[in-house]
Amino acid sequence: MGRKDASCATSLPVDQYRKQIGKQDYKKTKSALKATRLKADAKKNSSGFKDAFLVIAAILFFVLCVYAFFYLNLSTEINLDLDVD
């Protein structure tokens, strides 16, 4: 049976890739990291406005469809009443 430490001596390519990506974050300046963070926060906060706008648009569309349905039904009944006279 092998030791547990022996298997950890050779790291997987995935672990090496993760370490390399982690090192790249340290190369960025603080101002660049701050700008990236602010950009991500702005994107996260703006999605709330988009969701609210989509909900309001869906409600207005539904009301418009109901109005059009009743308008068309009532207008055809009125025309039928005029033809009967």
Side-chain angles (χ1 to χ4, degrees):
M1 298 186 88
R3 293 183 182 177
K4 291 182 182 178
D5 295 336
S7 64
C8 293
T10 58
S11 61
L12 297 173
V14 174
D15 292 334
Q16 291 174 355
Y17 176 73
R18 288 179 182 158
K19 286 180 184 178
Q20 183 182 9
I21 294 298
K23 289 179 184 177
Q24 288 178 2
D25 256 354
Y26 294 118
K27 293 179 184 177
K28 295 179 182 176
T29 61
K30 286 188 178 183
S31 61
L33 291 173
K34 187 176 181 180
T36 306
R37 189 179 317 115
L38 289 174
K39 192 176 186 181
D41 288 341
K43 188 175 182 182
K44 184 186 287 187
N45 292 337
S46 68
S47 67
F49 294 115
K50 286 182 182 178
D51 292 341
F53 177 73
L54 287 175
V55 169
I56 291 171
I59 291 171
L60 288 175
F61 180 74
F62 177 73
V63 169
L64 180 67
C65 288
V66 170
Y67 177 78
F69 175 75
F70 284 118
Y71 177 76
L72 291 174
N73 280 342
L74 292 177
S75 65
T76 55
E77 289 178 12
I78 292 171
N79 288 339
L80 290 176
D81 290 339
L82 290 176
D83 291 339
V84 172
D85 287 344

